[in-house]
């Protein structure tokens, strides 16, 4: 078996496909991959956030009502206790 000798004076350069176009297809793949991941997590994120938004809105409206003139006149025993200096400790 004869081995070939290395040739002198011939230089060969090679560049892999990843080095030629390192970001080939990244933009389009990122859009579809992001959509797929968001769709998969939708039911884990949106319902708790919607519920928290609803609770916050309800509590804000309730607080605004209780601190309004109509809210204070609706519950006179609470306002009587507050004006007479009722204590929490009894």
């Amino acid at each position: 078996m004869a081995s070939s000798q290395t040739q002198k004076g011939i230089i060969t350069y090679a560049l892999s496909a990843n080095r030629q176009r390192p970001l080939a297809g990244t933009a389009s793949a990122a859009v579809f991959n992001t959509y797929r991941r968001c769709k998969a997590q939708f039911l884990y994120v949106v319902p708790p956030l919607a519920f928290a938004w609803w609770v916050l809105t309800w509590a804000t409206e309730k607080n605004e009502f209780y601190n309004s003139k109509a809210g204070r006149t609706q519950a006179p025993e609470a306002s009587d206790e507050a004006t007479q200096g009722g204590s929490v400790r009894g």
Side-chain angles (χ1 to χ4, degrees):
M1 182 183 239
S3 64
S4 63
Q5 295 180 353
T6 58
Q7 297 179 354
K8 295 184 177 183
I10 298 177
I11 301 172
T12 305
Y13 295 102
L15 197 60
S16 70
N18 291 333
R19 296 282 181 159
Q20 290 176 11
R21 295 180 52 194
L23 300 176
T26 303
S28 63
V31 171
F32 295 115
N33 194 26
T34 302
Y35 172 74
R36 180 186 57 83
R37 290 177 143 192
C38 290
K39 186 178 78 168
Q41 296 297 317
F42 182 82
L43 291 177
Y44 293 106
V45 175
V46 173
L49 287 178
F51 179 73
W53 181 269
W54 176 79
V55 167
L56 185 66
T57 305
W58 171 81
T60 302
E61 290 174 1
K62 202 76 155 162
N63 185 39
E64 288 174 356
F65 174 73
Y66 283 151
N67 289 317
S68 69
K69 189 173 185 177
R72 291 177 190 201
T73 58
Q74 182 180 359
E77 64 278 353
S79 63
D80 289 343
E81 189 176 303
T83 56
Q84 293 175 1
S87 67
V88 177
R89 295 182 183 166

